[in-house]
Amino acid sequence: MNTFALRKAALPSTGVTTTLATACATGLAAACLFASAPAAAATLSALNLARPEGVRHVLLATPERHTPGKRALVILLHGHGGSAAQLLGQGRGAAPLSVWLHIAEREQLLLAAPDGVNGQDGKTGWNDCRADAPNNPKTDDTGLIGALIDKAVAEYDVDPARVYVMGMSNGGMMAYRLAAEIAPRLAGFAAVSASMAAKNACAPATVALPALIIAGTADPIVPYGGGDVRFSSLLRSRGTVLPVEESAASWRALANLPAAPASSDVAHRDHSDPTHATRLLWGADPRKVQVELLRIDKGGHVEPSMTKRFGWIFTQFIGKQNGDIEAAEEAWSFFKDKRAGLQPVLMAAPPATPPAAPPAASPAASHP
């Protein structure tokens, strides 16, 4: 098993975090000079799982510090055309979900990021529930995640009551499928820039599960208001999705949570940022089933992040990136107090209507 430590260094000129090895290799000497004492970070290792469709590849991230006791497992699912390495910051460009590597070290978590399989378009992806997305691979990805959980529980000291899934775009759509099909094995899920299938090839969810949904209202690929998933109007549709708020409402209803959420504006950090984040939360107790929608007004098809920022050119294609929240930190804050097997909220029954008073007795009638 090949293992390598992922070290991070902050570039003093920009404050952007990058991979130290990449920074040094590309001539960013300042990164090497200022990184003489890098902070400890999670260690990456490769895991191969034999599956009916062939060997499936997974990147694991384990804390360098070891503390006794069971640990949580967070499964991260990349988007269409992506990879586990890219998601965890091992490729080019910003990788907002690579913040999970620092969370894993700090919170003593195990991260698992599997690779999707090439679909008919030659790009990696997941077999989510869209019946009208013919380019999706036909692999049993639910079975893969189940096997991954089994492996983690058996060999990596994972607490089976603390298994969480987070996915971006196509990975978020796969997270919805997992939430519907293996809900008893999960303690919560998060979907970013994703919504549920409009033409659903899967059975509907029947078990309430904590759900965090992060979505931009100006997403040019997965429309917030529902419709065709496509990168450009010139390209073929990759299936259709429900409106994001309808997806949130379905999980709220399944958990018997009140229809009206608690709404709050997220503090705005940069007045030049045209996006704005609003938190809509159903359920007040973080130890019970909650549904949360982080609506990013004017936000695009991108994970919000304070530290992992996409460049101007990239955002011209995917839309604006919000900098008021850190998507990975939001997910961990949502997950950390939740455990598998939470029961839906029992709504109080309306008070019984008292029986109607009997009619006043009429004068006694004479009988023959």
Side-chain angles (χ1 to χ4, degrees), residues 221-244:
I221 299 173
V222 180
Y224 187 86
D228 284 325
V229 176
R230 65 173 84 229
F231 185 73
S232 164
S233 59
L234 301 177
L235 298 178
R236 182 181 182 183
S237 169
R238 296 198 65 250
T240 52
V241 293
L242 297 174
V244 168

Side-chain angles (χ1 to χ4, degrees), residues 17-366:
T17 303
T18 186
T19 305
L20 176 59
T22 302
C24 296
T26 54
L28 295 175
C32 304
L33 293 174
F34 282 82
S36 57
T43 299
L44 294 181
S45 61
L47 171 68
N48 293 327
L49 290 176
R51 300 292 302 155
E53 65 272 16
V55 175
R56 301 294 297 267
H57 306 290
V58 183
L59 280 182
L60 298 179
T62 53
E64 291 188 350
R65 295 181 298 109
H66 178 73
T67 56
K70 299 289 185 179
R71 56 172 50 118
L73 168 66
V74 178
I75 300 170
L76 301 172
L77 304 176
H78 63 74
H80 179 241
S83 69
Q86 172 270 325
L87 183 149
L88 290 175
Q90 302 307 293
R92 293 184 177 182
L97 294 190
S98 68
V99 172
W100 273 110
L101 291 165
H102 302 286
I103 299 173
E105 181 65 31
R106 185 185 76 217
E107 305 290 342
Q108 294 290 288
L109 314 175
L110 176 68
L111 303 180
D115 278 323
V117 170
N118 286 353
Q120 292 183 16
D121 59 359
K123 296 181 180 180
T124 52
W126 304 99
N127 186 10
D128 61 62
C129 288
R130 286 171 291 165
D132 51 358
N135 284 336
N136 277 354
K138 307 305 179 186
T139 45
D140 178 11
D141 291 327
T142 299
L144 166 69
I145 300 304
L148 178 55
I149 294 171
D150 290 340
K151 182 86 169 178
V153 169
E155 300 181 19
Y156 292 88
D157 293 326
V158 161
D159 180 352
R162 302 175 67 208
V163 177
Y164 313 93
V165 173
M166 184 177 194
M168 167 65 187
S169 190
N170 183 200
M173 296 176 193
M174 186 63 211
Y176 279 119
R177 178 169 191 167
L178 295 170
E181 294 186 339
I182 59 169
R185 305 200 69 183
L186 303 178
F189 76 97
V192 185
S193 298
S195 193
M196 293 170 61
K199 296 182 178 179
N200 201 330
C202 305
T206 58
V207 177
L209 199 64
L212 170 65
I213 301 167
I214 305 174
T217 63
D219 189 325
I221 299 173
V222 180
Y224 187 86
D228 284 325
V229 176
R230 65 173 84 229
F231 185 73
S232 164
S233 59
L234 301 177
L235 298 178
R236 182 181 182 183
S237 169
R238 296 198 65 250
T240 52
V241 293
L242 297 174
V244 168
E245 294 184 10
E246 189 172 327
S247 294
S250 69
W251 289 96
R252 176 206 62 79
L254 193 59
N256 289 327
L257 294 167
S263 178
S264 60
D265 292 335
V266 176
H268 202 43
R269 300 174 63 248
D270 181 0
H271 293 296
S272 67
D273 179 358
T275 69
H276 180 79
T278 301
R279 190 185 309 277
L280 303 169
L281 181 64
W282 292 266
D285 191 340
R287 296 166 298 177
K288 296 182 179 179
V289 178
Q290 293 177 302
V291 174
E292 181 175 337
L293 170 59
L294 274 166
R295 186 186 70 218
I296 312 300
D297 292 304
K298 299 184 180 179
H301 191 77
V302 56
E303 307 98 315
S305 179
M306 301 176 188
T307 59
K308 309 291 184 178
R309 306 293 296 168
F310 286 96
W312 178 85
I313 293 178
F314 197 67
T315 60
Q316 299 309 297
F317 295 95
I318 62 172
K320 302 296 184 184
Q321 182 183 23
N322 177 264
D324 295 331
I325 61 176
E326 194 69 64
E329 292 284 3
E330 288 287 340
W332 177 241
S333 178
F334 182 80
F335 289 156
K336 63 183 181 181
D337 294 320
K338 295 174 174 62
R339 302 293 184 268
L342 294 176
Q343 298 300 311
V345 175
L346 296 176
M347 301 291 283
T353 304
S362 55
S366 59

